[in-house]
Amino acid sequence: MRVWTEDDFKLSHDTLREVRIAERLDSLLQVHLPYGDRERSVRVDILVFDEARRSLNAYNVKRGNGSYDGGKRRLIQEELVRTQMLLTDYGRGIGLLSETSNAHVIFYYGLLSLPPPLAISGDDLDEHFQFPVHEAIELVNTYFVARLSALIEQED
């Protein structure tokens, strides 16, 4: 697997137009458009190209355990769907030929603000990636909690 971050993923005017006229989410998820035009940019937290499966997936990670209001949920879903529309051509542009491409939001602490398959719970990461990642993330969390606690105790 190849894994990276994209700080400047370009969302095109065409994707905005598609989102505005579409009546159903499932039809939007089948749209594939050329990458490169910029209406605005978003950060994609994690991009994963699985060479064995020939898949390119984009992930944004939400670590809060609260729900979002309707406006924020719509914005998250819109950015996600627009990213998915461009993902195949984005990959092609950097030399990655994928058979499938999908965008997801990982709600790490489990409170899903979007429906699956757009949303993935942190508890479902191992199954999604078909690889043990949840335990490794928890080890890193534990390390940083201990470091933060030590810093706080030093200040007292």
Side-chain angles (χ1 to χ4, degrees):
M1 289 190 196
R2 296 185 208 175
V3 180
W4 69 101
T5 295
E6 179 61 67
D7 290 328
D8 190 34
F9 191 91
K10 299 172 192 151
L11 299 179
S12 69
H13 291 88
D14 287 343
T15 61
L16 181 59
R17 189 171 24 262
E18 288 289 333
V19 166
R20 298 291 185 238
I21 64 172
E23 295 180 16
R24 295 181 34 198
L25 177 63
D26 58 335
S27 65
L28 282 174
L29 297 176
Q30 305 306 314
V31 174
H32 298 282
L33 296 170
Y35 181 78
D37 174 44
R38 178 196 315 258
E39 180 264 330
R40 68 186 183 92
S41 295
V42 295
R43 174 182 166 81
V44 177
D45 294 330
I46 305 167
L47 286 144
V48 177
F49 181 66
D50 185 326
E51 294 182 26
R53 290 191 239 165
R54 310 296 304 167
S55 68
L56 177 60
N57 291 305
Y59 302 92
N60 282 325
V61 180
K62 306 295 183 199
R63 294 182 62 89
N65 199 17
S67 61
Y68 296 97
D69 65 33
K72 182 65 174 173
R73 276 195 307 270
R74 279 189 298 280
L75 178 61
I76 292 169
Q77 180 171 303
E78 179 180 296
E79 287 179 357
L80 191 67
V81 169
R82 292 177 69 189
T83 298
Q84 181 163 325
M85 288 182 204
L86 300 166
L87 201 52
T88 298
D89 197 55
Y90 166 85
R92 189 177 302 117
I94 59 172
L96 303 174
L97 300 178
S98 60
E99 294 176 12
T100 62
S101 56
N102 294 288
H104 305 280
V105 175
I106 298 170
F107 292 98
Y108 189 75
Y109 291 108
L111 186 58
L112 303 182
S113 295
L114 297 177
L118 294 177
I120 302 168
S121 169
D123 291 335
D124 296 330
L125 291 176
D126 291 351
E127 180 181 337
H128 174 77
F129 285 107
Q130 297 179 354
F131 187 83
V133 295
H134 191 264
E135 184 178 339
I137 293 168
E138 285 304 310
L139 286 172
V140 171
N141 285 345
T142 300
Y143 170 80
F144 282 109
V145 166
R147 296 279 301 171
L148 181 59
S149 295
L151 287 172
I152 292 169
E153 289 173 10
Q154 286 178 353
E155 303 249 335
D156 290 341

